[in-house]
Amino acid sequence: MAAGKGTRFGDRTAAMPKGFIQFNGRPMIERSIENLLSVGIRDIIIGTGYHKEWYEALQEKYSQIKTVFSPEFANTNSMETLYRCRTAVAGRDFLLLESDIVYDPKALECLLTDSHEDIMLASEITKFQDQYYIAVDKDFNLLMCSTDKDKLIKETGEKPYGELVGIHKISDCFYQRMIEDYETHRKDNLKRGYEFEIEDIATGCHSNGTIKAQPIDRTHLCHIQERGMVPMYVLKLADLQWYEIDDLEDLAFAEKHVKIA
């Protein structure tokens, strides 16, 4: 997922996309590509938008890359980018990653070897800003995600289980449900983030794109499959080295504290 403008980096992203910001001397996107190749991934689809030519140029170095352009990137959000990739995905299960994260490749190995078909990767709460909190049910299936910690506690009755990393394993079944739901509301909901579409499909509680519009009816969780929802298992790696880098403060913090090669 690499369509965004990365405006919080200011002049650093005036002429290039955020994924090419260097973490300890290497662009974040190339680190991620090398991680994917190291675990045997051979088809890499990059959803592009802002300065798409930078990602297109990577195809000369990595033959495994295919790019898909989202022409309305400036006025849409990540679910639109993911929607644009539907033909390229072509009925396959896949890993979904954001372009602005650095992470230990063991995260990918854990997702690929876990038996659950649909997984949201989580960690302990480590970010000093812009945390994305996750609540789970007793079976560690996704219950709610929100940037508002107090709201999450109030609506679920649960403390945050962990923090969203920005790496998922998505089955074709789950993805098709996301696409169908998004198409239904697409015209009026182009600013929708993919994480809220995941939440809706996994829980059946329609969110408004930032936080839940209505309190969660927790009794529905015992009947997820009966109602046609597709559970999203939350896998927490407590000691995972990773960071989402949105601005220069994040970059400085990550280069000081995240210990990856």
Side-chain angles (χ1 to χ4, degrees), residues 2 17 20 29-30 33 44-71 73:
F20 285 85
I29 187 66
E30 290 203 44
I33 291 168
I44 300 173
I45 301 163
I46 303 181
T48 68
Y50 183 66
H51 282 301
K52 65 185 179 71
E53 67 276 7
W54 283 70
Y55 294 108
E56 292 168 351
L58 279 178
Q59 294 175 105
E60 297 179 9
K61 183 176 182 179
Y62 300 100
S63 62
Q64 300 87 349
I65 288 176
K66 177 179 181 178
T67 62
V68 177
F69 179 51
S70 184
F73 69 89

mmCIF file of all heavy atoms in Angstrom, residues 2 17 20 29-30 33 44-71 73:
data_model
loop_
_atom_site.group_PDB
_atom_site.id
_atom_site.type_symbol
_atom_site.label_atom_id
_atom_site.label_comp_id
_atom_site.label_asym_id
_atom_site.label_seq_id
_atom_site.Cartn_x
_atom_site.Cartn_y
_atom_site.Cartn_z
ATOM 1 N N ALA A 2 0.977 1.961 -1.141
ATOM 2 C CA ALA A 2 1.994 3.003 -1.265
ATOM 3 C C ALA A 2 1.504 4.212 -2.061
ATOM 4 O O ALA A 2 2.276 4.835 -2.780
ATOM 5 C CB ALA A 2 3.241 2.422 -1.920
ATOM 6 N N PRO A 17 7.847 9.641 -3.021
ATOM 7 C CA PRO A 17 6.866 9.093 -2.084
ATOM 8 C C PRO A 17 7.513 8.686 -0.764
ATOM 9 O O PRO A 17 8.726 8.454 -0.692
ATOM 10 C CB PRO A 17 6.304 7.884 -2.832
ATOM 11 C CG PRO A 17 7.359 7.506 -3.804
ATOM 12 C CD PRO A 17 8.094 8.757 -4.165
ATOM 13 N N PHE A 20 10.164 5.805 0.076
ATOM 14 C CA PHE A 20 11.585 5.914 -0.259
ATOM 15 C C PHE A 20 12.383 6.690 0.792
ATOM 16 O O PHE A 20 13.592 6.885 0.621
ATOM 17 C CB PHE A 20 11.754 6.526 -1.638
ATOM 18 C CG PHE A 20 11.434 5.559 -2.738
ATOM 19 C CD1 PHE A 20 10.130 5.388 -3.167
ATOM 20 C CD2 PHE A 20 12.428 4.791 -3.314
ATOM 21 C CE1 PHE A 20 9.817 4.487 -4.171
ATOM 22 C CE2 PHE A 20 12.134 3.881 -4.313
ATOM 23 C CZ PHE A 20 10.823 3.721 -4.739
ATOM 24 N N ILE A 29 10.776 0.978 1.518
ATOM 25 C CA ILE A 29 10.105 0.075 0.584
ATOM 26 C C ILE A 29 11.044 -1.028 0.112
ATOM 27 O O ILE A 29 10.641 -2.190 -0.036
ATOM 28 C CB ILE A 29 9.523 0.860 -0.622
ATOM 29 C CG1 ILE A 29 8.669 -0.053 -1.508
ATOM 30 C CG2 ILE A 29 10.619 1.537 -1.423
ATOM 31 C CD1 ILE A 29 7.415 -0.565 -0.857
ATOM 32 N N GLU A 30 12.310 -0.704 -0.092
ATOM 33 C CA GLU A 30 13.247 -1.739 -0.529
ATOM 34 C C GLU A 30 13.533 -2.734 0.593
ATOM 35 O O GLU A 30 13.719 -3.933 0.344
ATOM 36 C CB GLU A 30 14.529 -1.116 -1.058
ATOM 37 C CG GLU A 30 14.339 -0.391 -2.380
ATOM 38 C CD GLU A 30 15.620 -0.265 -3.174
ATOM 39 O OE1 GLU A 30 16.365 -1.271 -3.259
ATOM 40 O OE2 GLU A 30 15.877 0.820 -3.716
ATOM 41 N N ILE A 33 10.577 -5.069 0.433
ATOM 42 C CA ILE A 33 10.679 -5.970 -0.718
ATOM 43 C C ILE A 33 11.675 -7.090 -0.442
ATOM 44 O O ILE A 33 11.399 -8.271 -0.703
ATOM 45 C CB ILE A 33 11.087 -5.181 -1.980
ATOM 46 C CG1 ILE A 33 9.944 -4.265 -2.423
ATOM 47 C CG2 ILE A 33 11.484 -6.134 -3.111
ATOM 48 C CD1 ILE A 33 10.343 -3.249 -3.473
ATOM 49 N N ILE A 44 4.867 -9.406 -6.099
ATOM 50 C CA ILE A 44 4.716 -8.248 -5.219
ATOM 51 C C ILE A 44 3.956 -7.168 -5.972
ATOM 52 O O ILE A 44 4.417 -6.683 -7.011
ATOM 53 C CB ILE A 44 6.098 -7.722 -4.759
ATOM 54 C CG1 ILE A 44 6.852 -8.823 -3.998
ATOM 55 C CG2 ILE A 44 5.931 -6.484 -3.888
ATOM 56 C CD1 ILE A 44 8.282 -8.452 -3.644
ATOM 57 N N ILE A 45 2.795 -6.816 -5.455
ATOM 58 C CA ILE A 45 1.949 -5.796 -6.074
ATOM 59 C C ILE A 45 2.044 -4.531 -5.234
ATOM 60 O O ILE A 45 1.787 -4.560 -4.025
ATOM 61 C CB ILE A 45 0.483 -6.268 -6.143
ATOM 62 C CG1 ILE A 45 0.383 -7.563 -6.946
ATOM 63 C CG2 ILE A 45 -0.410 -5.189 -6.734
ATOM 64 C CD1 ILE A 45 -0.916 -8.303 -6.730
ATOM 65 N N ILE A 46 2.407 -3.429 -5.861
ATOM 66 C CA ILE A 46 2.490 -2.152 -5.149
ATOM 67 C C ILE A 46 1.369 -1.248 -5.650
ATOM 68 O O ILE A 46 1.315 -0.907 -6.836
ATOM 69 C CB ILE A 46 3.856 -1.471 -5.362
ATOM 70 C CG1 ILE A 46 4.991 -2.399 -4.919
ATOM 71 C CG2 ILE A 46 3.907 -0.156 -4.567
ATOM 72 C CD1 ILE A 46 6.376 -1.797 -5.082
ATOM 73 N N GLY A 47 0.468 -0.880 -4.735
ATOM 74 C CA GLY A 47 -0.596 0.060 -5.056
ATOM 75 C C GLY A 47 -0.046 1.472 -4.975
ATOM 76 O O GLY A 47 0.314 1.937 -3.895
ATOM 77 N N THR A 48 0.041 2.163 -6.093
ATOM 78 C CA THR A 48 0.730 3.449 -6.159
ATOM 79 C C THR A 48 -0.230 4.619 -6.361
ATOM 80 O O THR A 48 -1.388 4.444 -6.725
ATOM 81 C CB THR A 48 1.761 3.467 -7.304
ATOM 82 O OG1 THR A 48 1.059 3.431 -8.556
ATOM 83 C CG2 THR A 48 2.688 2.280 -7.217
ATOM 84 N N GLY A 49 0.298 5.808 -6.143
ATOM 85 C CA GLY A 49 -0.442 7.040 -6.372
ATOM 86 C C GLY A 49 0.541 8.177 -6.541
ATOM 87 O O GLY A 49 1.026 8.447 -7.633
ATOM 88 N N TYR A 50 0.889 8.811 -5.430
ATOM 89 C CA TYR A 50 1.809 9.942 -5.422
ATOM 90 C C TYR A 50 3.189 9.519 -5.944
ATOM 91 O O TYR A 50 3.774 8.552 -5.470
ATOM 92 C CB TYR A 50 1.916 10.471 -3.993
ATOM 93 C CG TYR A 50 2.766 11.692 -3.797
ATOM 94 C CD1 TYR A 50 2.407 12.916 -4.345
ATOM 95 C CD2 TYR A 50 3.925 11.626 -3.020
ATOM 96 C CE1 TYR A 50 3.184 14.047 -4.142
ATOM 97 C CE2 TYR A 50 4.704 12.749 -2.805
ATOM 98 C CZ TYR A 50 4.332 13.959 -3.369
ATOM 99 O OH TYR A 50 5.105 15.070 -3.158
ATOM 100 N N HIS A 51 3.684 10.256 -6.938
ATOM 101 C CA HIS A 51 4.982 9.960 -7.561
ATOM 102 C C HIS A 51 5.133 8.471 -7.874
ATOM 103 O O HIS A 51 6.136 7.831 -7.509
ATOM 104 C CB HIS A 51 6.130 10.447 -6.678
ATOM 105 C CG HIS A 51 6.373 11.925 -6.765
ATOM 106 N ND1 HIS A 51 6.681 12.555 -7.956
ATOM 107 C CD2 HIS A 51 6.340 12.898 -5.817
ATOM 108 C CE1 HIS A 51 6.838 13.859 -7.732
ATOM 109 N NE2 HIS A 51 6.618 14.107 -6.456
ATOM 110 N N LYS A 52 4.168 7.942 -8.586
ATOM 111 C CA LYS A 52 4.153 6.516 -8.916
ATOM 112 C C LYS A 52 5.390 6.082 -9.703
ATOM 113 O O LYS A 52 5.785 4.912 -9.652
ATOM 114 C CB LYS A 52 2.896 6.181 -9.720
ATOM 115 C CG LYS A 52 2.812 6.834 -11.098
ATOM 116 C CD LYS A 52 1.458 6.533 -11.754
ATOM 117 C CE LYS A 52 1.317 7.192 -13.115
ATOM 118 N NZ LYS A 52 2.167 6.575 -14.137
ATOM 119 N N GLU A 53 6.038 7.038 -10.384
ATOM 120 C CA GLU A 53 7.191 6.684 -11.221
ATOM 121 C C GLU A 53 8.344 6.099 -10.400
ATOM 122 O O GLU A 53 9.153 5.317 -10.915
ATOM 123 C CB GLU A 53 7.671 7.898 -12.021
ATOM 124 C CG GLU A 53 8.271 9.032 -11.215
ATOM 125 C CD GLU A 53 7.237 9.990 -10.632
ATOM 126 O OE1 GLU A 53 6.023 9.711 -10.745
ATOM 127 O OE2 GLU A 53 7.654 11.022 -10.058
ATOM 128 N N TRP A 54 8.430 6.466 -9.126
ATOM 129 C CA TRP A 54 9.479 5.918 -8.279
ATOM 130 C C TRP A 54 9.285 4.411 -8.093
ATOM 131 O O TRP A 54 10.253 3.640 -8.129
ATOM 132 C CB TRP A 54 9.490 6.619 -6.918
ATOM 133 C CG TRP A 54 10.103 7.982 -6.940
ATOM 134 C CD1 TRP A 54 9.585 9.108 -7.522
ATOM 135 C CD2 TRP A 54 11.344 8.377 -6.367
ATOM 136 N NE1 TRP A 54 10.422 10.176 -7.336
ATOM 137 C CE2 TRP A 54 11.516 9.759 -6.629
ATOM 138 C CE3 TRP A 54 12.331 7.701 -5.649
ATOM 139 C CZ2 TRP A 54 12.634 10.462 -6.200
ATOM 140 C CZ3 TRP A 54 13.449 8.403 -5.214
ATOM 141 C CH2 TRP A 54 13.591 9.770 -5.491
ATOM 142 N N TYR A 55 8.058 4.003 -7.871
ATOM 143 C CA TYR A 55 7.779 2.577 -7.691
ATOM 144 C C TYR A 55 7.875 1.827 -9.012
ATOM 145 O O TYR A 55 8.343 0.684 -9.050
ATOM 146 C CB TYR A 55 6.390 2.392 -7.061
ATOM 147 C CG TYR A 55 6.321 2.922 -5.651
ATOM 148 C CD1 TYR A 55 5.624 4.095 -5.363
ATOM 149 C CD2 TYR A 55 6.967 2.265 -4.610
ATOM 150 C CE1 TYR A 55 5.569 4.591 -4.080
ATOM 151 C CE2 TYR A 55 6.918 2.752 -3.319
ATOM 152 C CZ TYR A 55 6.221 3.921 -3.054
ATOM 153 O OH TYR A 55 6.177 4.412 -1.777
ATOM 154 N N GLU A 56 7.437 2.467 -10.079
ATOM 155 C CA GLU A 56 7.544 1.828 -11.394
ATOM 156 C C GLU A 56 9.005 1.561 -11.752
ATOM 157 O O GLU A 56 9.330 0.535 -12.365
ATOM 158 C CB GLU A 56 6.860 2.694 -12.450
ATOM 159 C CG GLU A 56 5.343 2.750 -12.280
ATOM 160 C CD GLU A 56 4.680 3.814 -13.133
ATOM 161 O OE1 GLU A 56 5.416 4.633 -13.731
ATOM 162 O OE2 GLU A 56 3.441 3.846 -13.188
ATOM 163 N N ALA A 57 9.884 2.464 -11.352
ATOM 164 C CA ALA A 57 11.306 2.283 -11.631
ATOM 165 C C ALA A 57 11.891 1.080 -10.886
ATOM 166 O O ALA A 57 12.876 0.474 -11.339
ATOM 167 C CB ALA A 57 12.080 3.548 -11.271
ATOM 168 N N LEU A 58 11.282 0.722 -9.758
ATOM 169 C CA LEU A 58 11.772 -0.433 -8.998
ATOM 170 C C LEU A 58 11.625 -1.732 -9.784
ATOM 171 O O LEU A 58 12.312 -2.716 -9.505
ATOM 172 C CB LEU A 58 11.000 -0.564 -7.678
ATOM 173 C CG LEU A 58 11.424 0.319 -6.506
ATOM 174 C CD1 LEU A 58 10.507 0.068 -5.316
ATOM 175 C CD2 LEU A 58 12.877 0.060 -6.110
ATOM 176 N N GLN A 59 10.733 -1.750 -10.754
ATOM 177 C CA GLN A 59 10.517 -2.965 -11.542
ATOM 178 C C GLN A 59 11.763 -3.341 -12.347
ATOM 179 O O GLN A 59 11.935 -4.499 -12.717
ATOM 180 C CB GLN A 59 9.320 -2.765 -12.477
ATOM 181 C CG GLN A 59 8.005 -2.604 -11.730
ATOM 182 C CD GLN A 59 6.849 -2.276 -12.649
ATOM 183 O OE1 GLN A 59 6.017 -3.126 -12.941
ATOM 184 N NE2 GLN A 59 6.794 -1.027 -13.114
ATOM 185 N N GLU A 60 12.628 -2.358 -12.601
ATOM 186 C CA GLU A 60 13.868 -2.653 -13.312
ATOM 187 C C GLU A 60 14.839 -3.431 -12.421
ATOM 188 O O GLU A 60 15.641 -4.228 -12.904
ATOM 189 C CB GLU A 60 14.510 -1.354 -13.789
ATOM 190 C CG GLU A 60 13.650 -0.576 -14.789
ATOM 191 C CD GLU A 60 14.312 0.716 -15.218
ATOM 192 O OE1 GLU A 60 15.500 0.921 -14.874
ATOM 193 O OE2 GLU A 60 13.652 1.519 -15.911
ATOM 194 N N LYS A 61 14.747 -3.192 -11.126
ATOM 195 C CA LYS A 61 15.624 -3.871 -10.169
ATOM 196 C C LYS A 61 15.020 -5.175 -9.676
ATOM 197 O O LYS A 61 15.736 -6.149 -9.441
ATOM 198 C CB LYS A 61 15.910 -2.941 -8.990
ATOM 199 C CG LYS A 61 16.872 -3.508 -7.959
ATOM 200 C CD LYS A 61 17.188 -2.484 -6.877
ATOM 201 C CE LYS A 61 18.176 -3.024 -5.866
ATOM 202 N NZ LYS A 61 18.500 -2.021 -4.810
ATOM 203 N N TYR A 62 13.687 -5.175 -9.519
ATOM 204 C CA TYR A 62 12.989 -6.346 -8.987
ATOM 205 C C TYR A 62 11.930 -6.789 -9.994
ATOM 206 O O TYR A 62 10.877 -6.155 -10.122
ATOM 207 C CB TYR A 62 12.311 -6.020 -7.654
ATOM 208 C CG TYR A 62 13.246 -5.557 -6.565
ATOM 209 C CD1 TYR A 62 13.371 -4.196 -6.263
ATOM 210 C CD2 TYR A 62 14.000 -6.467 -5.817
ATOM 211 C CE1 TYR A 62 14.211 -3.762 -5.248
ATOM 212 C CE2 TYR A 62 14.846 -6.040 -4.810
ATOM 213 C CZ TYR A 62 14.951 -4.687 -4.526
ATOM 214 O OH TYR A 62 15.781 -4.265 -3.518
ATOM 215 N N SER A 63 12.193 -7.886 -10.671
ATOM 216 C CA SER A 63 11.254 -8.373 -11.683
ATOM 217 C C SER A 63 9.959 -8.901 -11.069
ATOM 218 O O SER A 63 8.959 -9.087 -11.767
ATOM 219 C CB SER A 63 11.912 -9.490 -12.508
ATOM 220 O OG SER A 63 12.252 -10.596 -11.672
ATOM 221 N N GLN A 64 9.958 -9.113 -9.755
ATOM 222 C CA GLN A 64 8.777 -9.658 -9.076
ATOM 223 C C GLN A 64 7.694 -8.609 -8.848
ATOM 224 O O GLN A 64 6.579 -8.927 -8.439
ATOM 225 C CB GLN A 64 9.183 -10.247 -7.711
ATOM 226 C CG GLN A 64 10.206 -11.365 -7.779
ATOM 227 C CD GLN A 64 11.649 -10.868 -7.772
ATOM 228 O OE1 GLN A 64 11.913 -9.669 -7.913
ATOM 229 N NE2 GLN A 64 12.586 -11.779 -7.592
ATOM 230 N N ILE A 65 7.999 -7.346 -9.139
ATOM 231 C CA ILE A 65 7.087 -6.251 -8.824
ATOM 232 C C ILE A 65 6.127 -5.963 -9.973
ATOM 233 O O ILE A 65 6.510 -5.922 -11.139
ATOM 234 C CB ILE A 65 7.880 -4.971 -8.481
ATOM 235 C CG1 ILE A 65 8.551 -5.102 -7.111
ATOM 236 C CG2 ILE A 65 6.963 -3.737 -8.489
ATOM 237 C CD1 ILE A 65 9.416 -3.914 -6.750
ATOM 238 N N LYS A 66 4.866 -5.723 -9.600
ATOM 239 C CA LYS A 66 3.869 -5.163 -10.500
ATOM 240 C C LYS A 66 3.247 -3.979 -9.788
ATOM 241 O O LYS A 66 2.958 -4.055 -8.593
ATOM 242 C CB LYS A 66 2.789 -6.200 -10.835
ATOM 243 C CG LYS A 66 1.682 -5.648 -11.723
ATOM 244 C CD LYS A 66 0.651 -6.720 -12.055
ATOM 245 C CE LYS A 66 -0.427 -6.170 -12.965
ATOM 246 N NZ LYS A 66 -1.416 -7.230 -13.336
ATOM 247 N N THR A 67 3.048 -2.873 -10.481
ATOM 248 C CA THR A 67 2.438 -1.701 -9.854
ATOM 249 C C THR A 67 1.016 -1.494 -10.375
ATOM 250 O O THR A 67 0.714 -1.795 -11.523
ATOM 251 C CB THR A 67 3.260 -0.419 -10.108
ATOM 252 O OG1 THR A 67 3.309 -0.167 -11.514
ATOM 253 C CG2 THR A 67 4.677 -0.572 -9.563
ATOM 254 N N VAL A 68 0.169 -0.988 -9.491
ATOM 255 C CA VAL A 68 -1.214 -0.669 -9.843
ATOM 256 C C VAL A 68 -1.483 0.759 -9.386
ATOM 257 O O VAL A 68 -1.404 1.065 -8.195
ATOM 258 C CB VAL A 68 -2.210 -1.632 -9.175
ATOM 259 C CG1 VAL A 68 -3.646 -1.224 -9.500
ATOM 260 C CG2 VAL A 68 -1.952 -3.067 -9.623
ATOM 261 N N PHE A 69 -1.801 1.624 -10.317
ATOM 262 C CA PHE A 69 -1.974 3.048 -10.033
ATOM 263 C C PHE A 69 -3.408 3.352 -9.596
ATOM 264 O O PHE A 69 -4.374 2.882 -10.199
ATOM 265 C CB PHE A 69 -1.632 3.858 -11.280
ATOM 266 C CG PHE A 69 -1.781 5.350 -11.130
ATOM 267 C CD1 PHE A 69 -1.190 6.026 -10.075
ATOM 268 C CD2 PHE A 69 -2.521 6.073 -12.057
ATOM 269 C CE1 PHE A 69 -1.323 7.406 -9.940
ATOM 270 C CE2 PHE A 69 -2.656 7.445 -11.938
ATOM 271 C CZ PHE A 69 -2.062 8.111 -10.873
ATOM 272 N N SER A 70 -3.529 4.147 -8.539
ATOM 273 C CA SER A 70 -4.827 4.620 -8.067
ATOM 274 C C SER A 70 -4.931 6.112 -8.425
ATOM 275 O O SER A 70 -4.391 6.966 -7.718
ATOM 276 C CB SER A 70 -4.949 4.436 -6.548
ATOM 277 O OG SER A 70 -6.227 4.809 -6.090
ATOM 278 N N PRO A 71 -5.605 6.450 -9.523
ATOM 279 C CA PRO A 71 -5.554 7.823 -10.041
ATOM 280 C C PRO A 71 -6.168 8.873 -9.127
ATOM 281 O O PRO A 71 -5.799 10.038 -9.207
ATOM 282 C CB PRO A 71 -6.311 7.732 -11.373
ATOM 283 C CG PRO A 71 -7.157 6.519 -11.253
ATOM 284 C CD PRO A 71 -6.398 5.561 -10.399
ATOM 285 N N PHE A 73 -5.747 9.089 -5.928
ATOM 286 C CA PHE A 73 -5.060 8.919 -4.646
ATOM 287 C C PHE A 73 -5.143 10.150 -3.752
ATOM 288 O O PHE A 73 -5.185 10.036 -2.527
ATOM 289 C CB PHE A 73 -3.587 8.548 -4.888
ATOM 290 C CG PHE A 73 -2.752 9.646 -5.476
ATOM 291 C CD1 PHE A 73 -2.091 10.556 -4.658
ATOM 292 C CD2 PHE A 73 -2.612 9.779 -6.853
ATOM 293 C CE1 PHE A 73 -1.315 11.572 -5.200
ATOM 294 C CE2 PHE A 73 -1.840 10.789 -7.400
ATOM 295 C CZ PHE A 73 -1.196 11.695 -6.572
#
